[in-house]
Amino acid sequence: MSNDLSRRTFLQLGAVTAGALVVGQMLPPAVAQAAQDAGMVNTQGDGFVPSMCEMCVWRCGLIAKVKNGRVVKLDGNPDHPHSRGHLCVRGQSGLFNTYDPDRITTPLIRVGNRGEGRFRRASWDEALDLTASNMLAIREQYGAQAMVFSSTHNLSQVQFENLLYAYGSPNYGTQRSLCFNAMIVANLMTYGLEEPERIYDDQLSYIILTGRNLMEAVSTSETGELSEAIARGAHVVYLDPRFTKTAAKASEWLPIKPGTDLAFHLALLNVIIGEDLYNHAFVAQYTLGLEQVAEEVAPYTPEWAAPITGIDADRIRRIARDFAAAAPHALAHNGWRTSNFVNSFQTQRAITVLNALVGNWNVTLRAGGGESSGALGTIPQPPYPRISAQRLDHVPSRFPVVPLKIGVFQELRDSIISGEPYQAHGWFIARQNPVMSLPDRARTLQAFEKLDFIATVDIVVNDTAWFSDVILPEASYLERYDPLLPVGDRVYIRQPVIEPQGEARSALWIYKQLGERLGLGDYFQYADEEDYIRQQLAPLGVTLEEIRARGYVELPPHEEAGFNWNTPSGKIELYSETLDRVGFAGVPTWEAPPEPPSGQFYLLTGKVAQATQFGTQNNRMLHKVADEPRLWLNDSVAADRGMVDGDWVEVSSAVGSVHIRLHVTPAIRPDCVYLTPGYGHLSQGLTTAFGVGASDSVLHVTYTDPVSGSQALTQTFVTVRKV
Ligand SMILES: Nc1nc2c(c(=O)[nH]1)N[C@H]1C(S)=C(S)[C@@H](COP(=O)(O)OP(=O)(O)OC[C@H]3O[C@@H](n4cnc5c(=O)[nH]c(N)nc54)[C@H](O)[C@@H]3O)O[C@H]1N2
Ligand SMILES: Nc1nc2c(c(=O)[nH]1)N[C@H]1C(S)=C(S)[C@@H](COP(=O)(O)OP(=O)(O)OC[C@H]3O[C@@H](n4cnc5c(=O)[nH]c(N)nc54)[C@H](O)[C@@H]3O)O[C@H]1N2
Ligand code: SF4
Ligand SMILES: [Mo]
């Protein structure tokens, strides 16, 4: 396209988009060319490009300000329902991840021993050939099942899954069992859907948050909606052993004893059923199993729950009555990373049943909006080979109600160590840091020792890459295309706003190259990233240029399919025969969580607003604004033990110990300590984060909820000793 023509196109576009988009000619050639093709050109060399954030999985819409080929500012896109014009502190600081001096700019191949961190630069051809030849050798010698694949939720995951299923391995590790399996499996068993959508409308007046720290563990749109509800005067009950920023905003903070949220919710059910406060019409029409629940919860009175939870019986009774009175404008929030104890599935079931009993469906909860990804084109591919090998994470044999796509990651790791039911030999890891995110870091490293080959796809040498044989550098989210993302009635694009650093390439490109070398080229029928997106857009009759210019396009209106509860009975299953049949309780039931022996503490983990998981501590801007990570210890306990703020302590669990300084505070229960996750990195390739703080993953013992497969992090008990 000639410059003239593209300038004309820009002028036309400017008229319809109110001049929102202008990308400069001084951009690097490939980006400038693409920008010109999309008609986003001006002569000053400055521009604003719409795309999507990836500093966490929420994917807010952003507008990148680009100057002379560099991103100089990131802002929220008002045209995106997640960001609504706002980016959180991590999103605003995202350019420091892209411009991290520790970015890997060429493929790396290990030269020293694993864990020594000695690598040499390699060409893409060499690194991809080496990866493919190892994967082929493993498949030939031991079968495809000997190769493990793992990745955390991201937009190119669809092609990651394509690679793994085409290769033929059943072994897939996702972050979900480390995150929200308990919530998802409970929703599936009760409503037949993974996660209901929450509605914070003007009338929502009562919210119970069970450890959902929305003010710090941010999901921009929902955090905003909660703030608005609080401003409107909604009553918020917040259960957390720790006084978080959400506790500070709540109407009441209940510093519940860890692991006893189940007892609290069972007592709410007891009052609501016992005092006949439930929604008869809704329960009769849509649910089954009230009698069984009523029988089960009869003994779980507030007086029963009070000594277990540490919350007064009167208060529990009042909350139950007020919640029911506010219904249907009342929401018991499922929580998200609800992997605290092996009874977390039961807690989640109790919450799902509570919501159903008060009939708040289609008022505060609704079945997800049914995004019409079906309207997008798909990339043609042959069918996958049949996979008959057993899975190393024991799904479904030991975890019959856990969906295969979700899995139980920590079990997969442990089977690599045990070599049972067979020995794994290779691990391909993308966009994930299991060395930090799985409990018991020493065990994860032990698993690595069992493997002949480890390859990682990342943007820096994260802790997992540090132990890998090959590291493949992905272009950052500001430097690449990903598959399109439908959100509601629109589809959004992530597009390169700058050139990649060095030779970094998109995951779409990396998986295709690898697929071709594995003889799986038929599964990757796209010429390049732009061709991939054009194939997705084809049925919409929209061009790549149009979506690049606006950041999104509308999807055609789709017919609302009549909604049915996708359970075996077609009703909300307060009692689940499915659970009963496989030997689990059919209704929510009390399971007492273990308690720390005298002198030990529950170890709490929990997000902070300025970091995402284990992947942003090396961001120099976020590093500047972060507090020094310290161990929270209750002030009266510290005084009893002769400890003061700033003391160095040794924290020890059954599996590890770390040194850290104390933060002495009244903001935590006396029987708990809290450590910020994401610090104590092993990789010296992270020059900003290395040496800062300590890792709670070193301390976490691996416990797994037998129903949902969730890890149970708060079930780790520690001693604290002054050093
Ligand atoms: N800034 C930021 N935001 C994020 C993320 C991030 O890394 N950083 N990550 C995103 C992701 S992937 C997720 S899953 C969500 C997670 O968001 P949340 O579900 O809010 O999870 P956490 O912050 O891990 O833990 C919340 C709280 O649980 C408390 N807790 C521990 N044990 C118990 C218990 O037994 N009972 C109760 N009631 N509380 C307990 C902890 O003290 C902690 O304050 O956040 C998302 N948002
Ligand atoms: N102790 C403890 N353990 C936990 C939790 C906790 O609170 N405490 N939280 C749990 C939860 S809720 C979750 S969801 C999991 C998360 O566990 P993981 O998914 O393993 O952790 P992340 O830090 O999200 O890993 C993301 C990786 O992606 C890399 N990355 C960033 N951008 C890109 C990119 O553009 N391309 C590629 N290829 N890589 C990129 C980062 O460098 C980082 O290494 O951890 C769980 N484990
Ligand atoms: S919540 Fe923050 S980090 Fe996550 S996508 Fe939105 S702006 Fe980015
Ligand atoms: Mo998560």
Side-chain angles (χ1 to χ4, degrees):
M1 193 186 277
S2 79
N3 256 354
D4 262 348
L5 187 58
S6 60
R7 288 193 59 178
R8 251 198 335 268
T9 322
F10 163 66
L11 291 175
Q12 286 162 1
L13 250 174
V16 271
T17 59
L21 318 160
V22 257
V23 173
Q25 288 178 325
M26 295 169 75
L27 301 183
V31 172
Q33 185 59 51
Q36 282 185 5
D37 291 349
M40 300 185 290
V41 176
N42 83 348
T43 47
Q44 281 84 50
D46 303 342
F48 296 88
V49 188
S51 191
M52 275 187 288
C53 182
E54 204 190 24
M55 289 294 284
C56 84
V57 295
W58 202 242
R59 305 186 188 116
C60 294
L62 62 75
I63 295 180
K65 181 175 180 185
V66 184
K67 224 173 177 175
N68 300 332
R70 287 182 67 85
V71 182
V72 292
K73 180 94 169 68
L74 296 170
D75 286 305
N77 184 349
D79 274 342
H80 195 288
H82 287 181
S83 42
R84 300 173 194 167
H86 304 289
L87 296 181
C88 79
V89 62
R90 298 164 296 158
Q92 293 180 42
S93 309
L95 65 166
F96 289 87
N97 269 38
T98 286
Y99 293 127
D100 190 333
D102 292 335
R103 278 286 300 280
I104 28 177
T105 52
T106 69
L108 297 176
I109 292 178
R110 176 170 66 82
V111 289
N113 291 325
R114 277 218 189 115
E116 262 182 8
R118 287 173 47 222
F119 297 92
R120 68 173 170 81
R121 288 171 188 271
S123 68
W124 272 108
D125 273 339
E126 186 188 6
L128 289 164
D129 286 346
L130 181 67
T131 306
S133 64
N134 274 283
M135 289 171 73
L136 286 170
I138 288 171
R139 189 169 67 182
E140 192 166 311
Q141 218 174 331
Y142 309 105
Q145 67 274 16
M147 190 75 209
V148 169
F149 292 74
S150 70
S151 181
T152 285
H153 202 41
N154 65 85
L155 290 183
S156 57
Q157 201 161 6
V158 55
Q159 289 306 322
F160 180 87
E161 290 174 0
N162 193 22
L163 184 70
L164 106 92
Y165 297 133
Y167 177 88
S169 174
N171 290 313
Y172 182 20
T174 75
Q175 88 290 359
R176 292 184 171 90
S177 68
L178 314 177
C179 178
F180 50 32
N181 265 31
M183 178 269 282
I184 287 188
V185 180
N187 279 320
L188 282 173
M189 291 295 107
T190 315
Y191 310 126
L193 58 97
E194 288 195 1
E195 190 179 3
E197 209 175 292
R198 288 171 287 271
I199 310 168
Y200 290 80
D201 72 2
D202 286 357
Q203 297 188 67
L204 177 59
S205 59
Y206 209 99
I207 306 167
I208 302 176
L209 295 170
T210 303
R212 181 68 181 98
N213 184 12
L214 266 165
M215 296 298 163
E216 291 175 273
V218 174
S219 300
T220 34
S221 42
E222 196 180 354
T223 300
E225 284 169 327
L226 177 68
S227 304
E228 286 159 22
I230 291 171
R232 280 196 306 268
H235 189 92
V236 177
V237 175
Y238 179 70
L239 301 159
D240 196 316
R242 202 162 62 92
F243 188 81
T244 62
K245 300 214 162 47
T246 309
K249 298 279 177 198
S251 319
E252 31 190 333
W253 167 51
L254 308 186
I256 191 165
K257 184 167 174 175
T260 69
D261 308 84
L262 173 58
F264 174 83
H265 285 95
L266 289 172
L268 297 186
L269 293 176
N270 169 287
V271 176
I272 287 172
I273 297 174
E275 297 186 4
D276 200 12
L277 305 175
Y278 61 91
N279 183 328
H280 284 248
F282 185 89
V283 168
Q285 190 174 354
Y286 296 113
T287 76
L288 68 79
L290 176 68
E291 301 71 28
Q292 288 99 317
V293 175
E295 191 185 332
E296 178 64 31
V297 303
Y300 304 139
T301 60
E303 286 68 24
W304 165 83
I308 297 174
T309 56
I311 303 169
D312 286 350
D314 286 350
R315 192 192 277 250
I316 299 176
R317 189 165 278 112
R318 177 193 23 96
I319 291 170
R321 289 173 181 162
D322 290 354
F323 182 77
H329 304 287
L331 165 68
H333 197 295
N334 257 135
W336 206 0
R337 192 200 56 78
T338 42
S339 40
N340 294 320
F341 279 84
V342 296
N343 67 8
S344 287
F345 172 76
Q346 295 300 341
T347 311
Q348 286 295 321
R349 268 281 280 166
I351 295 172
T352 56
V353 167
L354 177 64
N355 282 314
L357 282 186
V358 298
N360 56 5
W361 275 87
N362 290 325
V363 180
T364 63
L365 288 175
R366 72 176 153 223
E371 282 153 6
S372 42
S373 56
L376 293 179
T378 49
I379 317 305
Q381 61 172 69
Y384 294 125
R386 221 183 126 258
I387 299 174
S388 53
Q390 214 179 320
R391 280 170 60 121
L392 287 174
D393 65 0
H394 309 291
V395 179
S397 56
R398 254 183 239 166
F399 297 94
V401 295
V402 174
L404 288 174
K405 261 204 170 176
I406 286 176
V408 184
F409 197 8
Q410 65 277 22
E411 287 278 320
L412 172 54
R413 190 252 341 246
D414 288 354
S415 296
I416 297 176
I417 298 172
S418 72
E420 298 295 338
Y422 52 83
Q423 184 61 57
H425 289 270
W427 193 346
F428 184 79
I429 304 160
R431 213 195 188 292
Q432 195 178 55
N433 196 357
V435 165
M436 300 289 283
S437 58
L438 281 164
D440 196 347
R441 182 156 91 182
R443 273 184 87 69
T444 309
L445 298 181
Q446 206 185 330
F448 282 2
E449 284 169 20
K450 296 276 184 165
L451 299 172
D452 309 334
F453 181 69
I454 306 169
T456 301
V457 183
D458 210 287
I459 61 168
V460 289
V461 182
N462 75 356
D463 310 271
T464 301
W466 185 252
F467 290 88
S468 303
D469 303 313
V470 177
I471 311 175
L472 304 173
E474 191 176 357
S476 88
Y477 71 99
L478 296 171
E479 301 166 342
R480 65 166 194 258
Y481 285 107
D482 272 334
L484 298 173
L485 175 69
V487 183
D489 51 10
R490 291 174 177 172
V491 61
Y492 284 84
I493 189 168
R494 175 172 293 137
Q495 60 177 322
V497 300
I498 50 164
E499 292 276 286
Q501 315 280 297
E503 292 167 33
R505 303 299 299 259
S506 73
L508 280 178
W509 183 86
I510 297 171
Y511 301 151
K512 178 180 163 67
Q513 296 299 317
L514 200 51
E516 283 173 356
R517 283 169 171 80
L518 292 167
L520 306 171
D522 282 356
Y523 292 89
F524 297 90
Q525 294 182 37
Y526 49 94
D528 54 22
E529 298 89 337
E530 295 195 346
D531 179 45
Y532 189 100
I533 293 173
R534 285 198 177 98
Q535 292 192 49
Q536 286 195 291
L537 288 173
L540 301 181
V542 170
T543 63
L544 177 64
E545 291 67 31
E546 283 171 77
I547 193 169
R548 292 197 69 218
R550 249 168 96 201
Y552 69 90
V553 291
E554 309 288 344
L555 288 167
H558 62 290
E559 281 189 21
E560 285 291 336
F563 177 73
N564 283 315
W565 305 105
N566 197 14
T567 53
S569 64
K571 295 214 163 195
I572 299 178
E573 301 196 339
L574 310 178
Y575 161 79
S576 158
E577 198 186 323
T578 310
L579 285 169
D580 210 347
R581 233 190 7 249
V582 292
F584 301 127
V587 290
T589 185
W590 175 237
E591 288 170 3
E595 293 174 54
S598 145
Q600 296 193 25
F601 302 89
Y602 295 95
L603 174 64
L604 307 180
T605 193
K607 318 292 186 240
V608 286
Q610 73 280 357
T612 300
Q613 322 290 23
F614 310 95
T616 63
Q617 293 75 19
N618 210 56
N619 177 304
R620 284 162 302 151
M621 177 57 81
L622 293 172
H623 179 74
K624 276 211 170 92
V625 300
D627 295 331
E628 178 196 343
R630 292 191 184 189
L631 185 81
W632 291 29
L633 178 69
N634 178 272
D635 52 356
S636 57
V637 175
D640 284 352
R641 295 186 169 213
M643 295 175 175
V644 295
D645 199 60
D647 275 352
W648 280 95
V649 291
E650 181 186 67
V651 190
S652 305
S653 74
V655 299
S657 81
V658 300
H659 284 189
I660 184 94
R661 276 149 69 101
L662 274 188
H663 170 58
V664 171
T665 170
I668 188 165
R669 281 175 61 99
D671 52 2
C672 298
V673 292
Y674 160 81
L675 192 52
T676 312
Y679 289 93
H681 285 273
L682 274 181
S683 170
Q684 293 170 36
L686 304 172
T687 53
T688 302
F690 182 73
V692 180
S695 161
D696 60 349
S697 306
V698 167
L699 300 169
H700 280 127
V701 182
T702 311
Y703 293 112
T704 298
D705 167 359
V707 187
S708 73
S710 267
Q711 65 171 342
L713 288 183
T714 309
Q715 209 164 299
T716 290
F717 306 136
V718 295
T719 55
V720 179
R721 190 175 66 84
K722 200 164 154 174
V723 288

